[in-house]
Amino acid sequence: MEVEELINKIDAKELKAEAKKQGVKIRCRTKLDIAKDLPKETLEKLAGK
């Protein structure tokens, strides 16, 4: 799946929480920007919930 397809399935709150755990900055960024900085495996795991 493409990143855009995955982020449509992920809640923003869950995405931001996972980004904080991994040390990715989330302030003033869109879901897509945050998702691009996370590993694809992480996005697939969040989308699978």
Side-chain angles (χ1 to χ4, degrees):
M1 282 188 169
E2 295 295 321
V3 174
E4 292 84 11
E5 294 173 6
L6 290 172
I7 64 168
N8 287 332
K9 296 180 181 182
I10 301 172
D11 184 41
K13 197 172 195 176
E14 293 176 359
L15 183 67
K16 288 180 180 183
E18 187 64 33
K20 280 184 180 181
K21 286 181 190 175
Q22 295 192 18
V24 175
K25 295 184 181 189
I26 60 171
R27 190 171 180 128
C28 298
R29 299 181 73 200
T30 64
K31 279 175 62 173
L32 183 59
D33 292 336
I34 296 169
K36 286 180 180 178
D37 289 342
L38 291 173
K40 191 166 184 172
E41 299 83 30
T42 303
L43 295 175
E44 290 172 349
K45 181 183 81 172
L46 290 171
K49 285 187 177 180

